[in-house]
Amino acid sequence: MALEQIKMPQLGESVTEGTISKWLVSVGDKVNKYDPLLEVMTDKVNAEVPSSFNGEIKELLADEGDTLSVGEILCTIEAQDQGTSQSHNPTSANAMEEKESSSDGLLSEKSKKARYSPVVLKISQDHGIDLNKVKGTGAGGRITRKDLLTIIESGNIPTKEGSLQESKLVSEERNNPIGTPTQTIASQTISPMDQTKPVENVSSLPGDIEIPVTGVRKAIAANMLRSKNEVPHAWTMVEVDVTNLVELRESMKDEFRKNEGFNLTFFAFFVKVVAQALKEFPQINSMWAGDKIIQKRDINLSIAVATDTALFVPVIKHADEKSIKGIAREIKELADKARSGSLRPDDMQGGTFTVNNTGSFGSIQSMGMINYPQAAILQVESIVKRPVIMNGGIIAVRDMVNLCLSLDHRILDGLICGRFLQRIKEKLENISKDNTPIY
């Protein structure tokens, strides 16, 4: 038998860490290959992490609520057969036992630190806690997040000696956990834990409700802060007359619903037109990659889907190749998955441009945050009736919509974005039953 490691997988492009939402196994449990071990949340998806081996769970190396980087060890399994190991440095059961046993029954300083979860290390750094002086209540005497929070609440904090040297060592081991090759991940500059630091001038008063920032909300906070801090946002907007689109959709929505079993939404038309425009302006379908700009070949449109507690961005793959009917079906299916918590990692990967249906809740103008590392995001606002001066000075009531584009000014300039929006405007205003196939 061999002691094998299960590590945090990469659950999507640009995803560099995940938060453990729930352990599905305990120490001593027997598992089979492909059995789910735990549930992990990222800013993009909720997913189960399966076992790669048949065997017995020996140790859980992180707690629920902990945020771990891709490649960090989640747990160890005593495998019944060698199989295919995910670990770059598999450790035998005998070697592990020898490492964990010493004359005084204590772990060495280095191995103890290797057993600290990232959240424990972060809290200890923020509050100056000497982890050598903390008695853990977790499995095998591990120090847990709850242990540190209890100490902080008590006010009796064991302080560090030589904190500068300690912080440096903790930082090095946090960035390069034992058994994980040293690597630099360009997109991993902000940890969700950075958003959980107490704000000194904000305190709770009687009657206030404190809501812990955990899970998906923590990941969203980190992603949005990164987008705001790193991307030089610029904004532009056009006003579009979509009276023809409204008339076309109204004329066929009931029959479409009867025949297809789902709604023909305005958003499907917008997504189709955006996909067509991206083929004509491929510069918009780009990503920032540090020393280069990558212009993507495939047109995969991320769509924002909100639930009561989170925002997900599933992806319509090859949107330019799909009909309006096909896009409408996929929008419904992805939205249903997001709201039922059944999105798969593949549903969230590969997005090259984001279209956000902000008009669904009545917004008429907004400035979206770019879905990093994409180059832009388009906000489709609410369609409203407004008086418009037509050719010849005639005033008419028309269906109007604002399209608001947020762009990464490192990648895109106003000229190309202005032309892109003008092309979308032209296509939308020329929609008709004769030139706009639904199927």
Side-chain angles (χ1 to χ4, degrees):
M1 292 193 179
L3 199 65
E4 304 287 359
Q5 300 172 346
I6 300 296
K7 297 182 179 180
M8 177 67 73
Q10 183 161 9
L11 299 172
E13 290 182 337
S14 79
V15 174
T16 60
E17 58 192 5
T19 300
I20 298 173
S21 56
K22 184 179 181 181
W23 277 105
L24 305 176
V25 296
S26 302
V27 173
D29 286 354
K30 304 288 186 182
V31 295
N32 295 319
K33 192 174 183 179
Y34 307 124
D35 284 352
L37 301 177
L38 69 159
E39 295 176 355
V40 173
M41 293 184 295
T42 74
D43 60 315
K44 296 181 180 295
V45 71
N46 293 352
E48 291 180 344
V49 177
S51 173
S52 301
F53 315 96
N54 299 322
E56 178 183 335
I57 302 296
K58 299 304 291 182
E59 188 173 17
L60 306 183
L61 296 173
D63 300 314
E64 292 181 359
D66 287 0
T67 299
L68 280 73
S69 300
V70 170
E72 288 196 67
I73 302 170
L74 296 165
C75 66
T76 57
I77 297 177
E78 188 172 61
Q80 293 177 355
D81 50 57
Q82 295 297 322
T84 302
S85 174
Q86 287 185 338
S87 170
H88 294 288
N89 297 300
T91 306
S92 69
N94 290 338
M96 181 63 73
E97 290 172 2
E98 291 174 4
K99 182 176 179 181
E100 292 190 352
S101 62
S102 61
S103 57
D104 57 1
L106 297 175
L107 295 169
S108 69
E109 186 68 20
K110 184 174 182 180
S111 61
K112 283 176 67 179
K113 290 186 185 301
R115 293 161 61 93
Y116 298 151
S117 70
V119 68
V120 167
L121 291 171
K122 181 64 179 172
I123 293 174
S124 68
Q125 285 181 279
D126 289 345
H127 296 274
I129 300 173
D130 186 353
L131 294 176
N132 296 320
K133 300 178 181 178
V134 177
K135 184 177 180 180
T137 61
R142 290 184 64 248
I143 298 173
T144 68
R145 174 174 171 271
K146 292 180 181 179
D147 294 333
L148 297 189
L149 293 179
T150 300
I151 290 173
I152 293 168
E153 290 175 3
S154 71
N156 186 21
I157 297 176
T159 58
K160 297 186 177 185
E161 297 175 2
S163 59
L164 182 61
Q165 183 178 0
E166 179 76 7
S167 296
K168 181 178 179 181
L169 180 58
V170 168
S171 176
E172 289 172 353
E173 296 199 34
R174 185 179 176 212
N175 290 333
N176 183 30
I178 301 301
T180 302
T182 303
Q183 57 183 329
T184 301
I185 303 177
S187 59
Q188 187 179 348
T189 57
I190 296 177
S191 165
M193 286 306 303
D194 292 337
Q195 310 313 311
T196 62
K197 292 183 180 180
V199 180
E200 294 181 359
N201 62 346
V202 178
S203 58
S204 298
L205 298 175
D208 293 347
I209 299 174
E210 293 188 356
I211 303 172
V213 180
T214 58
V216 174
R217 178 54 52 188
K218 191 189 300 181
I220 290 173
N223 234 27
M224 292 299 96
L225 185 64
R226 180 173 189 206
S227 178
K228 185 66 175 177
N229 284 345
E230 291 192 23
V231 177
H233 282 64
W235 295 268
T236 185
M237 182 185 79
V238 295
E239 184 182 56
V240 183
D241 185 339
V242 290
T243 305
N244 292 345
L245 167 58
V246 172
E247 291 176 352
L248 174 61
R249 189 252 182 182
E250 289 295 319
S251 70
M252 62 186 311
K253 67 175 184 179
D254 293 336
E255 183 180 357
F256 184 93
R257 172 73 183 179
K258 180 180 178 181
N259 293 337
E260 305 300 336
F262 57 92
N263 291 328
L264 177 62
T265 62
F266 288 119
F267 192 49
F269 287 89
F270 286 107
V271 169
K272 178 62 177 179
V273 168
V274 168
Q276 292 173 331
L278 286 171
K279 284 185 72 70
E280 299 180 33
F281 295 88
Q283 304 95 319
I284 310 292
N285 199 49
S286 298
M287 293 186 177
W288 182 259
D291 60 345
K292 57 184 175 291
I293 295 169
I294 299 176
Q295 189 169 294
K296 305 298 286 185
R297 178 192 61 184
D298 295 335
I299 295 176
N300 301 331
L301 296 186
S302 304
I303 59 170
V305 179
T307 66
D308 291 339
T309 58
L311 180 71
F312 298 95
V313 279
V315 178
I316 300 174
K317 307 287 178 59
H318 306 289
D320 56 311
E321 301 174 5
K322 292 180 167 67
S323 66
I324 292 173
K325 171 199 165 182
I327 290 173
R329 180 192 298 277
E330 197 156 347
I331 289 172
K332 178 186 183 302
E333 290 174 351
L334 290 173
D336 288 346
K337 283 184 178 182
R339 289 163 186 150
S340 65
S342 59
L343 281 170
R344 301 167 301 164
D346 184 62
D347 294 326
M348 312 290 289
Q349 296 179 12
T352 60
F353 183 92
T354 299
V355 188
N356 190 6
N357 188 21
T358 44
S360 62
F361 48 84
S363 171
I364 59 170
Q365 184 176 346
S366 60
M367 296 185 296
M369 296 287 291
I370 293 170
N371 184 12
Y372 191 94
Q374 296 174 12
I377 179 174
L378 184 70
Q379 310 277 96
V380 179
E381 306 294 349
S382 182
I383 298 174
V384 297
K385 292 188 179 294
R386 289 205 295 269
V388 175
I389 300 177
M390 307 292 290
N391 293 335
I394 299 174
I395 298 178
V397 176
R398 307 289 289 178
D399 292 292
M400 306 298 293
V401 65
N402 293 327
L403 301 180
C404 305
L405 184 72
S406 302
L407 57 118
D408 184 340
H409 227 324
R410 297 173 301 181
I411 303 173
L412 302 172
D413 296 321
L415 177 62
I416 190 69
C417 291
R419 289 174 175 170
F420 174 66
L421 285 179
Q422 281 299 119
R423 185 60 175 142
I424 293 175
K425 174 183 172 75
E426 179 183 354
K427 284 179 171 291
L428 288 171
E429 291 184 344
N430 284 284
I431 281 178
S432 71
K433 194 169 185 177
D434 295 331
N435 64 13
T436 308
I438 304 300
Y439 297 94

